[in-house]
Each structure stands twice: as structure tokens, then as C-alpha cells.
Amino acid sequence: MPKMSKKKIIAITGSMGSGKSMVSSMLKENFPVLDVDQVNRQLIEKGNKGYRQLVKEMKIPLDEKKNIDKSAFAQCMFTDKAYKQKVESILHPLIVESMQEWIEQQENTLVFVEVPLLFESHMEDLFDEIWCVVCDEEVALQRLETKRHITRENAKARLACQYSPVIKMQQSDVVLYNNGTLEQLREQVKLHLERSLA
């Protein structure tokens, strides 16, 4: 896929619980950051473009108010590979379109996009650089249990569905290690920002 803009566009990725959102929060202090998960959530809200296409082309679980039943929908995505692929084939072009529109609206020449499943969705060629946030699996599991209230078994199953951190690290330009403190993470972000702006 062609690059989206003349601006410098950096993707932030990493496995669940690695600390992508921590990095995004730090960057938001001075730079525009788009959360692709938020774009996805907006697309599938009742009446929006993603919702309309999904309901038209697929069997989508809806609640009594005709909103997508997010719990049932997530279960379908998690257990049925063909279903997941069909949903992604509908939503991913819309996500890229929304990203492009957002990037063009930004005045800053350096922008960031948080894309949790960057490599899994084959979007890596859209970006000038890829920053990958990593941590030990045990650290990730503890974060998911305490901060997102996901059971250890569920968290392990979800992590198993994603590319391994090793593969993500090998395909990234920058690796941010997040086993330590927020301040240690901030120092790494600051270092790589200075290089990107040089």
C-alpha cells in the first residue's frame, strides 16, 4: 500500500498489556495521536459506515436497540476465523480511509497512530517508522488482570492469537522496553523523539 502523506507518520504497536496506551499518552502531550481501536469503535456505532456495511453483508449480533452486541460480536470474532476475516475485509479499508482523513487534517508534520494489530492487519507499509512496545509476558498478564480485569486464561488466549512480540520487534524500527517504571519508558520515548525530529 502507498504511504498516506508527506508528513512523517509513525505507528505505535505491541501486544496486549505491553503499554502502547502509556506511550500514546506521553506523545499526546506534544503530538497528534490517533487510536485505531477508537476509529474502529466509532465505525461500528449504529448508523455509521462500518455498521451499515456489516449489517448489510453479514449476520451481526444486535441487541434490542439494534446496536451491535459487542460481547457476542467479540465472541464470534474470537472463535470463527472466517467470520473474523470477513469483518476485517469490510472494516480495514474504512479504517485506513479514516486514518488518511485524520492525518491530512493535522498541522504537525510528525504524527502518530496507535495500531495494536499492525502486522496482523498488514498495514505496516503505510508508515514511515514503526515503534513497538514490549514487555515480559508475565508483566503483560498482570496488567491485563489488574487494569482491564481480564482473567489470566482469557488474556493468555488473546495473546496467543496475536503475533509474538519477537516477530513484531524484528519488523519494527524502534523497540520500547516497558518492564520498568513510567519514567524509564518516558526516557526511551524522549530519546527516540529527539532522533525522529533531528
Side-chain angles (χ1 to χ4, degrees), residues 13-20 116 120 132-134 140 159 162-165 168:
T13 194
S15 299
M16 285 178 64
S18 61
K20 299 178 297 296
E120 293 87 343
C132 182
V133 189
V134 299
L159 285 169
Q162 300 182 3
Y163 283 12
S164 79
K168 293 184 179 187

PDB file of all heavy atoms in Angstrom, residues 13-20 116 120 132-134 140 159 162-165 168:
ATOM      1  N   THR A  13       2.824   0.148  18.032  1.00  0.00           N
ATOM      2  CA  THR A  13       2.185  -1.158  18.115  1.00  0.00           C
ATOM      3  C   THR A  13       2.782  -1.952  19.272  1.00  0.00           C
ATOM      4  O   THR A  13       3.661  -1.486  19.987  1.00  0.00           O
ATOM      5  CB  THR A  13       2.293  -1.913  16.778  1.00  0.00           C
ATOM      6  OG1 THR A  13       1.388  -3.027  16.780  1.00  0.00           O
ATOM      7  CG2 THR A  13       3.713  -2.386  16.499  1.00  0.00           C
ATOM      8  N   GLY A  14       2.300  -3.158  19.439  1.00  0.00           N
ATOM      9  CA  GLY A  14       2.750  -4.018  20.527  1.00  0.00           C
ATOM     10  C   GLY A  14       1.608  -4.924  20.948  1.00  0.00           C
ATOM     11  O   GLY A  14       0.447  -4.702  20.588  1.00  0.00           O
ATOM     12  N   SER A  15       1.918  -5.948  21.705  1.00  0.00           N
ATOM     13  CA  SER A  15       0.904  -6.900  22.149  1.00  0.00           C
ATOM     14  C   SER A  15       0.047  -6.301  23.263  1.00  0.00           C
ATOM     15  O   SER A  15       0.386  -5.273  23.850  1.00  0.00           O
ATOM     16  CB  SER A  15       1.575  -8.187  22.641  1.00  0.00           C
ATOM     17  OG  SER A  15       2.320  -8.786  21.596  1.00  0.00           O
ATOM     18  N   MET A  16      -1.057  -6.969  23.572  1.00  0.00           N
ATOM     19  CA  MET A  16      -1.924  -6.552  24.674  1.00  0.00           C
ATOM     20  C   MET A  16      -1.127  -6.460  25.967  1.00  0.00           C
ATOM     21  O   MET A  16      -0.330  -7.346  26.270  1.00  0.00           O
ATOM     22  CB  MET A  16      -3.040  -7.572  24.876  1.00  0.00           C
ATOM     23  CG  MET A  16      -4.137  -7.541  23.871  1.00  0.00           C
ATOM     24  SD  MET A  16      -5.355  -8.846  24.199  1.00  0.00           S
ATOM     25  CE  MET A  16      -5.995  -8.319  25.782  1.00  0.00           C
ATOM     26  N   GLY A  17      -1.348  -5.387  26.707  1.00  0.00           N
ATOM     27  CA  GLY A  17      -0.707  -5.247  28.004  1.00  0.00           C
ATOM     28  C   GLY A  17       0.719  -4.737  27.957  1.00  0.00           C
ATOM     29  O   GLY A  17       1.365  -4.581  29.001  1.00  0.00           O
ATOM     30  N   SER A  18       1.220  -4.454  26.750  1.00  0.00           N
ATOM     31  CA  SER A  18       2.623  -4.019  26.635  1.00  0.00           C
ATOM     32  C   SER A  18       2.821  -2.578  27.088  1.00  0.00           C
ATOM     33  O   SER A  18       3.911  -2.206  27.539  1.00  0.00           O
ATOM     34  CB  SER A  18       3.112  -4.188  25.184  1.00  0.00           C
ATOM     35  OG  SER A  18       2.339  -3.396  24.300  1.00  0.00           O
ATOM     36  N   GLY A  19       1.778  -1.753  26.947  1.00  0.00           N
ATOM     37  CA  GLY A  19       1.894  -0.355  27.348  1.00  0.00           C
ATOM     38  C   GLY A  19       1.815   0.626  26.203  1.00  0.00           C
ATOM     39  O   GLY A  19       2.295   1.757  26.300  1.00  0.00           O
ATOM     40  N   LYS A  20       1.164   0.221  25.100  1.00  0.00           N
ATOM     41  CA  LYS A  20       1.006   1.120  23.945  1.00  0.00           C
ATOM     42  C   LYS A  20       0.303   2.410  24.346  1.00  0.00           C
ATOM     43  O   LYS A  20       0.689   3.495  23.919  1.00  0.00           O
ATOM     44  CB  LYS A  20       0.203   0.433  22.838  1.00  0.00           C
ATOM     45  CG  LYS A  20       0.810  -0.815  22.270  1.00  0.00           C
ATOM     46  CD  LYS A  20      -0.080  -1.445  21.216  1.00  0.00           C
ATOM     47  CE  LYS A  20      -1.420  -1.899  21.746  1.00  0.00           C
ATOM     48  NZ  LYS A  20      -1.324  -2.983  22.753  1.00  0.00           N
ATOM     49  N   PRO A 116      -2.788  -1.476  17.329  1.00  0.00           N
ATOM     50  CA  PRO A 116      -2.450  -2.692  18.070  1.00  0.00           C
ATOM     51  C   PRO A 116      -2.120  -3.890  17.183  1.00  0.00           C
ATOM     52  O   PRO A 116      -1.144  -4.604  17.429  1.00  0.00           O
ATOM     53  CB  PRO A 116      -3.712  -2.950  18.904  1.00  0.00           C
ATOM     54  CG  PRO A 116      -4.310  -1.597  19.085  1.00  0.00           C
ATOM     55  CD  PRO A 116      -4.049  -0.874  17.806  1.00  0.00           C
ATOM     56  N   GLU A 120      -0.616  -7.927  12.005  1.00  0.00           N
ATOM     57  CA  GLU A 120      -1.682  -8.886  11.722  1.00  0.00           C
ATOM     58  C   GLU A 120      -2.614  -8.379  10.623  1.00  0.00           C
ATOM     59  O   GLU A 120      -3.165  -9.169   9.857  1.00  0.00           O
ATOM     60  CB  GLU A 120      -2.487  -9.160  12.995  1.00  0.00           C
ATOM     61  CG  GLU A 120      -1.727  -9.897  14.082  1.00  0.00           C
ATOM     62  CD  GLU A 120      -0.941  -8.983  15.019  1.00  0.00           C
ATOM     63  OE1 GLU A 120      -0.715  -7.790  14.663  1.00  0.00           O
ATOM     64  OE2 GLU A 120      -0.545  -9.433  16.094  1.00  0.00           O
ATOM     65  N   CYS A 132       7.575  -0.298  18.441  1.00  0.00           N
ATOM     66  CA  CYS A 132       6.950  -1.450  19.075  1.00  0.00           C
ATOM     67  C   CYS A 132       7.216  -1.422  20.576  1.00  0.00           C
ATOM     68  O   CYS A 132       8.364  -1.338  21.011  1.00  0.00           O
ATOM     69  CB  CYS A 132       7.510  -2.737  18.462  1.00  0.00           C
ATOM     70  SG  CYS A 132       6.772  -4.240  19.120  1.00  0.00           S
ATOM     71  N   VAL A 133       6.142  -1.495  21.354  1.00  0.00           N
ATOM     72  CA  VAL A 133       6.254  -1.512  22.818  1.00  0.00           C
ATOM     73  C   VAL A 133       6.203  -2.972  23.274  1.00  0.00           C
ATOM     74  O   VAL A 133       5.299  -3.720  22.884  1.00  0.00           O
ATOM     75  CB  VAL A 133       5.106  -0.718  23.476  1.00  0.00           C
ATOM     76  CG1 VAL A 133       5.363  -0.563  24.970  1.00  0.00           C
ATOM     77  CG2 VAL A 133       4.938   0.646  22.814  1.00  0.00           C
ATOM     78  N   VAL A 134       7.186  -3.387  24.069  1.00  0.00           N
ATOM     79  CA  VAL A 134       7.247  -4.779  24.516  1.00  0.00           C
ATOM     80  C   VAL A 134       7.461  -4.855  26.024  1.00  0.00           C
ATOM     81  O   VAL A 134       8.001  -3.929  26.639  1.00  0.00           O
ATOM     82  CB  VAL A 134       8.369  -5.570  23.799  1.00  0.00           C
ATOM     83  CG1 VAL A 134       8.139  -5.613  22.301  1.00  0.00           C
ATOM     84  CG2 VAL A 134       9.737  -4.996  24.109  1.00  0.00           C
ATOM     85  N   ALA A 140       2.735  -8.358  31.258  1.00  0.00           N
ATOM     86  CA  ALA A 140       1.527  -8.079  30.473  1.00  0.00           C
ATOM     87  C   ALA A 140       0.300  -8.727  31.106  1.00  0.00           C
ATOM     88  O   ALA A 140      -0.764  -8.111  31.219  1.00  0.00           O
ATOM     89  CB  ALA A 140       1.707  -8.569  29.037  1.00  0.00           C
ATOM     90  N   LEU A 159      -3.577 -13.279  23.783  1.00  0.00           N
ATOM     91  CA  LEU A 159      -2.186 -13.049  23.383  1.00  0.00           C
ATOM     92  C   LEU A 159      -1.733 -14.098  22.370  1.00  0.00           C
ATOM     93  O   LEU A 159      -0.966 -13.806  21.455  1.00  0.00           O
ATOM     94  CB  LEU A 159      -1.265 -13.068  24.608  1.00  0.00           C
ATOM     95  CG  LEU A 159      -1.322 -11.830  25.505  1.00  0.00           C
ATOM     96  CD1 LEU A 159      -0.578 -12.075  26.810  1.00  0.00           C
ATOM     97  CD2 LEU A 159      -0.745 -10.606  24.788  1.00  0.00           C
ATOM     98  N   GLN A 162      -2.302 -13.252  18.726  1.00  0.00           N
ATOM     99  CA  GLN A 162      -1.527 -12.170  18.128  1.00  0.00           C
ATOM    100  C   GLN A 162      -0.136 -12.674  17.729  1.00  0.00           C
ATOM    101  O   GLN A 162       0.314 -13.707  18.214  1.00  0.00           O
ATOM    102  CB  GLN A 162      -1.387 -11.010  19.119  1.00  0.00           C
ATOM    103  CG  GLN A 162      -2.713 -10.416  19.553  1.00  0.00           C
ATOM    104  CD  GLN A 162      -2.548  -9.233  20.490  1.00  0.00           C
ATOM    105  OE1 GLN A 162      -1.445  -8.798  20.797  1.00  0.00           O
ATOM    106  NE2 GLN A 162      -3.669  -8.709  20.961  1.00  0.00           N
ATOM    107  N   TYR A 163       0.507 -11.931  16.834  1.00  0.00           N
ATOM    108  CA  TYR A 163       1.892 -12.257  16.508  1.00  0.00           C
ATOM    109  C   TYR A 163       2.723 -12.167  17.785  1.00  0.00           C
ATOM    110  O   TYR A 163       2.423 -11.365  18.668  1.00  0.00           O
ATOM    111  CB  TYR A 163       2.453 -11.268  15.487  1.00  0.00           C
ATOM    112  CG  TYR A 163       2.005 -11.481  14.061  1.00  0.00           C
ATOM    113  CD1 TYR A 163       0.956 -12.335  13.739  1.00  0.00           C
ATOM    114  CD2 TYR A 163       2.624 -10.801  13.012  1.00  0.00           C
ATOM    115  CE1 TYR A 163       0.541 -12.512  12.434  1.00  0.00           C
ATOM    116  CE2 TYR A 163       2.210 -10.969  11.695  1.00  0.00           C
ATOM    117  CZ  TYR A 163       1.170 -11.824  11.411  1.00  0.00           C
ATOM    118  OH  TYR A 163       0.775 -11.991  10.121  1.00  0.00           O
ATOM    119  N   SER A 164       3.769 -12.967  17.854  1.00  0.00           N
ATOM    120  CA  SER A 164       4.607 -12.924  19.050  1.00  0.00           C
ATOM    121  C   SER A 164       5.375 -11.600  19.094  1.00  0.00           C
ATOM    122  O   SER A 164       5.681 -11.010  18.047  1.00  0.00           O
ATOM    123  CB  SER A 164       5.599 -14.086  19.049  1.00  0.00           C
ATOM    124  OG  SER A 164       6.694 -13.801  18.192  1.00  0.00           O
ATOM    125  N   PRO A 165       5.706 -11.122  20.310  1.00  0.00           N
ATOM    126  CA  PRO A 165       6.494  -9.891  20.425  1.00  0.00           C
ATOM    127  C   PRO A 165       7.815  -9.966  19.665  1.00  0.00           C
ATOM    128  O   PRO A 165       8.277  -8.959  19.137  1.00  0.00           O
ATOM    129  CB  PRO A 165       6.728  -9.769  21.933  1.00  0.00           C
ATOM    130  CG  PRO A 165       5.577 -10.485  22.553  1.00  0.00           C
ATOM    131  CD  PRO A 165       5.287 -11.631  21.623  1.00  0.00           C
ATOM    132  N   LYS A 168       7.180  -9.055  16.089  1.00  0.00           N
ATOM    133  CA  LYS A 168       6.894  -7.621  15.998  1.00  0.00           C
ATOM    134  C   LYS A 168       8.170  -6.794  16.157  1.00  0.00           C
ATOM    135  O   LYS A 168       8.371  -5.805  15.442  1.00  0.00           O
ATOM    136  CB  LYS A 168       5.859  -7.228  17.059  1.00  0.00           C
ATOM    137  CG  LYS A 168       4.488  -7.840  16.811  1.00  0.00           C
ATOM    138  CD  LYS A 168       3.455  -7.371  17.824  1.00  0.00           C
ATOM    139  CE  LYS A 168       2.099  -7.986  17.528  1.00  0.00           C
ATOM    140  NZ  LYS A 168       1.018  -7.452  18.350  1.00  0.00           N
TER     141      LYS A 168
END
